[in-house]
Amino acid sequence: MFAVTSTAKLEIDEHFKSAVTISKTKNVKRRKNHRWNNDDPRTLHLMRVKGFPRLLPEGILALADYCRWLRELSLSYALLSDELLSALCSVKQIHLETLRVEAHPEAKPLPCVSDKAWSAFSNRLPDINLALLSYMTDDDDKKLLFTSHIPVTHLYLGDETSESTMSRISKQYPQLIELVIAAYGCGPIDRFLISVAKNCPRLSAVGLGDCEITCSGLAKFVALCAHRLQVLYVSETSLIEDADLDIAKVSTNLSSLLGRTWIPEYVPLW
């Protein structure tokens, strides 16, 4: 049994019995003589940490040791530090598979995590899925998030993305597997997506929200990564028909490239 003291909120997803959310926890007691079996359905695999003004490395070490079958850790970017990454790297028995980090503008100023700490983290956990969810609106703040030393594999841009941010994605995140862009208001996104396809050889899932893309540009993008593209979400309202391709033709073209039926997502007018 996992014991949490003075918890403001505790959520357990019925579909994921091993998932738990912890908010504003004052103390977590370790049971030194108790060890969970990985086959035990009560074993903690997912932990979301919320509401901490400061998370000390000692705390994460205690949690990681207590929950030694922990597979996913979700926390705010504001909680990151060199010490925290070092703590995650130092726990030999940790089997972390996913680190999910959310960056919100109200969490400013964002911490400056050193390249050395990220490099050590990457070397210690080379196969980790690092999901970055950015809701930052200021380009200066985003510069901290877009560096080549952060091994981002899944990127979710939840606010309108600027041209300067888009131009950095393929250069800074070569390990990218999944890219979701909520909105882009600086014209067609064609050349940026094509750059991502060329420079991110692991890219296999793309979702575009309120983004403009020409039918020809989308066809060129898919042609570059069709052999690995498993998910492609583009709304019909985002597609711009051109002299070469209309929506019907690009749907046929992409279906042929992907080897399965593909059509853009229908968005109701109401």
Side-chain angles (χ1 to χ4, degrees), residues 2 44 53 56 58 63 72 85-86 89 91 98 106 117 133 137 140 153 167 172 182 189 191 203 217 258 268:
F2 185 75
L44 188 70
L56 297 175
E58 293 82 1
L63 287 171
E72 180 175 342
L85 291 182
S86 177
C89 292
V91 182
T98 301
E106 60 269 20
L133 294 82
T137 55
D140 289 336
T153 56
S167 66
Q172 307 300 346
I189 202 170
R191 65 187 180 94
L203 187 71
L258 295 170

Side-chain angles (χ1 to χ4, degrees), residues 54-61 78-91 111-114 116-118 120-121:
R54 178 172 175 77
L55 183 65
L56 297 175
E58 293 82 1
I60 197 66
L61 277 171
L79 297 175
L80 290 180
S81 66
D82 285 18
E83 293 79 13
L84 179 54
L85 291 182
S86 177
L88 288 172
C89 292
S90 66
V91 182
C112 185
V113 182
S114 72
K116 182 180 180 181
W118 278 120
F121 180 80

Side-chain angles (χ1 to χ4, degrees), residues 53-239:
R54 178 172 175 77
L55 183 65
L56 297 175
E58 293 82 1
I60 197 66
L61 277 171
L63 287 171
D65 185 53
Y66 185 88
C67 313
R68 57 183 54 231
W69 294 109
L70 188 66
R71 292 293 185 269
E72 180 175 342
L73 176 63
S74 176
L75 42 75
S76 168
Y77 192 96
L79 297 175
L80 290 180
S81 66
D82 285 18
E83 293 79 13
L84 179 54
L85 291 182
S86 177
L88 288 172
C89 292
S90 66
V91 182
K92 294 182 179 180
Q93 72 272 19
I94 197 169
H95 299 280
L96 198 63
E97 295 173 354
T98 301
L99 176 62
R100 184 176 181 272
V101 180
E102 294 187 18
H104 295 273
E106 60 269 20
K108 295 195 305 182
L110 293 177
C112 185
V113 182
S114 72
D115 295 345
K116 182 180 180 181
W118 278 120
S119 295
F121 180 80
S122 300
N123 292 333
R124 169 65 177 84
L125 301 166
D127 299 321
I128 195 168
N129 291 313
L130 201 161
L132 174 60
L133 294 82
S134 172
Y135 302 95
M136 306 303 292
T137 55
D138 188 277
D139 273 354
D140 289 336
D141 295 326
K142 291 177 182 177
K143 288 179 182 178
L144 283 173
L145 305 178
F146 292 88
T147 69
S148 59
H149 292 280
I150 304 180
V152 174
T153 56
H154 298 71
L155 178 62
Y156 307 89
L157 300 173
D159 210 303
E160 185 165 308
T161 305
S162 67
E163 185 174 357
S164 60
T165 296
M166 282 302 307
S167 66
R168 291 197 295 266
I169 291 176
S170 63
K171 299 175 184 177
Q172 307 300 346
Y173 297 153
Q175 300 181 56
L176 206 60
I177 295 172
E178 181 179 13
L179 174 63
V180 176
I181 303 171
Y184 180 73
C186 303
I189 202 170
D190 301 28
R191 65 187 180 94
F192 298 114
L193 274 188
I194 291 170
S195 176
V196 171
K198 290 178 178 178
N199 297 311
C200 303
R202 301 175 64 197
L203 187 71
S204 61
V206 172
L208 303 180
D210 188 11
C211 305
E212 291 184 341
I213 184 167
T214 67
C215 290
S216 293
L218 182 60
K220 290 177 183 177
F221 163 74
V222 174
L224 289 168
C225 53
H227 63 286
R228 63 179 188 274
L229 199 58
Q230 298 176 7
V231 177
L232 178 62
Y233 178 100
V234 181
S235 66
E236 188 176 35
T237 55
S238 296
L239 285 172

